[in-house]
């Protein structure tokens, strides 16, 4: 299970090859990438099953909720029961349903779903704005040779909800973040590497397997293994990455102002580093 993170996608051909070779199923967390595609296929529909989240920060929202997508009737039937206390939905009423397995109440409400239906109609508009604003902001950062950009396996399929960019070193990246904070322009720019929620270095609850319920031994051992795992390859990438959230509401004037301020901050940091070297 990979994450099609920040509006874009994983290298899906490579993952599919690994799955086929080792007889694994491929699950797509596409919660951040609705509307994105890979070689013409919608993200979230390429693996055996995929998910979208409709929580309040996602590209489209129901307030809360999400969906599972699959082409497998068996998975669909199991998801349908699992999200609703294990009901098989074959009875003439709720009391007549049978329960082939234990489920949960992960149902989306009718009211939330109604909001979601209205949002879906706006998705194409949102995507075209995201793509336009992303491209416009990127043009400013592209003027700095030291800045590089996330490798997107299929550029045409990027939903463009974020622009993820890199500086040459961790030190420079941290300095840019500090300077953006200093100048009051940090909002909407995410340094996932140092954040308590989006990167594994701070996931002590997971690494210590701290749960309120009792885990099975297998689950617990799997989590505890993370403690001794090394993530140096990921660290090397994430310590240099800043993701800028793309707003639907920006005007051309605001993009210009934002772009110019970001470029000024980066140039200032790069110049200081050269002077101090
Ligand atoms: C938002 C998100 C989730 C969780 O979605 P919820 O609707 O809050 O459960 C899972 N994975 C990714 C990658 C997300 O961005």
């Amino acid at each position: 299970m990979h994450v099609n993170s920040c509006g874009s996608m994983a290298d899906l051909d490579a993952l599919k090859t690994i799955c086929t070779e080792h007889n694994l199923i491929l699950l797509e967390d596409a919660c951040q990438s609705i509307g994105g595609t890979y070689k013409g296929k919608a993200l979230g529909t390429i693996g055996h099953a995929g998910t979208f989240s409709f929580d309040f920060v996602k590209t489209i929202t129901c307030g809360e909720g999400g969906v599972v997508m699959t082409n497998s009737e068996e998975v669909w039937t199991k998801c349908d029961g699992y999200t609703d206390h294990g009901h098989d939905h074959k009875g003439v009423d709720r009391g007549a349903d049978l329960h082939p397995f234990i489920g949960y109440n992960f149902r989306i409400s009718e009211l939330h779903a109604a909001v979601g239906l209205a949002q879906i109609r706006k998705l194409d508009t949102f995507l075209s704005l995201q793509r336009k604003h992303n491209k416009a902001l990127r043009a400013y950062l592209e003027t700095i040779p030291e800045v590089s950009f996330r490798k997107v396996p299929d550029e045409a399929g990027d939903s463009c909800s974020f622009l993820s960019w890199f500086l040459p070193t961790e030190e420079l990246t941290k300095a840019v973040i500090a300077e953006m904070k200093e100048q009051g322009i940090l909002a909407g720019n995410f340094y996932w590497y140092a954040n308590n929620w989006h990167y594994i270095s701070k996931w002590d609850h997971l690494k210590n397997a701290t749960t309120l319920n009792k885990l099975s031994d297998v689950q617990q051992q799997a989590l505890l293994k993370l403690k001794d795992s090394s993530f140096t390859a990921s660290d090397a990438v994430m310590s240099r990455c800043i993701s800028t959230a793309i707003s639907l509401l920006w005007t051309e004037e605001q993009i210009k102002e934002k772009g110019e301020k970001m470029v000024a901050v980066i140039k200032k940091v790069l110049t200081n580093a050269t002077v101090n070297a």
Side-chain angles (χ1 to χ4, degrees), residues 181-250:
K181 194 173 177 190
E182 177 74 27
Q183 297 199 16
I185 61 161
L186 188 60
N189 292 283
F190 297 95
Y191 185 46
W192 312 116
Y193 187 60
N195 144 331
N196 290 340
W197 176 223
H198 291 96
Y199 192 62
I200 195 160
S201 46
K202 306 285 172 58
W203 292 348
D204 291 334
H205 58 317
L206 209 69
K207 289 187 264 190
N208 295 324
T210 312
T211 51
L212 296 179
N213 56 312
K214 193 175 178 326
L215 292 178
S216 74
D217 288 344
V218 177
Q219 285 172 317
Q220 188 167 44
Q221 290 319 310
L223 285 180
L224 292 175
K225 239 197 254 169
L226 292 173
K227 237 186 192 165
D228 305 314
S229 302
S230 156
F231 296 97
T232 49
S234 301
D235 290 346
V237 175
M238 294 310 295
S239 62
R240 299 187 299 107
C241 177
I242 298 173
S243 295
T244 305
I246 302 300
S247 171
L248 301 174
L249 302 173
W250 287 342

Side-chain angles (χ1 to χ4, degrees), residues 3 29 31-32 53 55 58 65:
V3 179
D29 181 340
C31 287
Q32 299 179 0
S53 163
D55 81 19
K58 297 307 194 303

Side-chain angles (χ1 to χ4, degrees), residues 101-200:
F101 49 79
I102 295 173
Y104 290 87
N105 61 338
F106 292 159
R107 300 177 304 263
I108 188 171
S109 78
E110 292 286 329
L111 287 174
H112 287 95
V115 174
L117 285 176
Q119 284 269 292
I120 282 212
R121 291 190 202 111
K122 299 182 183 173
L123 179 60
D124 287 344
T125 309
F126 291 172
L127 289 169
S128 72
L129 281 170
Q130 269 173 196
R131 289 183 170 134
K132 186 172 152 217
H133 294 174
N134 187 304
K135 199 172 159 205
L137 185 67
R138 181 179 170 127
Y140 286 93
L141 299 188
E142 273 174 345
T143 61
I144 306 177
E146 288 88 346
V147 169
S148 56
F149 296 89
R150 171 180 177 176
K151 192 175 133 221
V152 176
D154 180 357
E155 295 270 355
D158 193 345
S159 85
C160 288
S161 55
F162 283 87
L163 177 64
S164 293
W165 46 285
F166 298 86
L167 285 144
T169 66
E170 174 176 346
E171 204 183 9
L172 287 168
T173 312
K174 285 185 168 155
V176 165
I177 288 291
E179 185 62 27
M180 285 176 121
K181 194 173 177 190
E182 177 74 27
Q183 297 199 16
I185 61 161
L186 188 60
N189 292 283
F190 297 95
Y191 185 46
W192 312 116
Y193 187 60
N195 144 331
N196 290 340
W197 176 223
H198 291 96
Y199 192 62
I200 195 160

Side-chain angles (χ1 to χ4, degrees), residues 2 4 9-21 26 28 38-41 43 46-47 153-154:
H2 62 282
N4 292 312
M9 78 232 48
D11 188 345
L12 280 149
D13 278 346
L15 292 178
K16 276 204 278 195
T17 305
I18 293 170
C19 288
T20 307
E21 224 169 79
L26 180 64
E28 282 183 89
Y38 177 73
K39 300 191 174 173
K41 273 192 159 176
L43 299 177
I46 295 163
D154 180 357

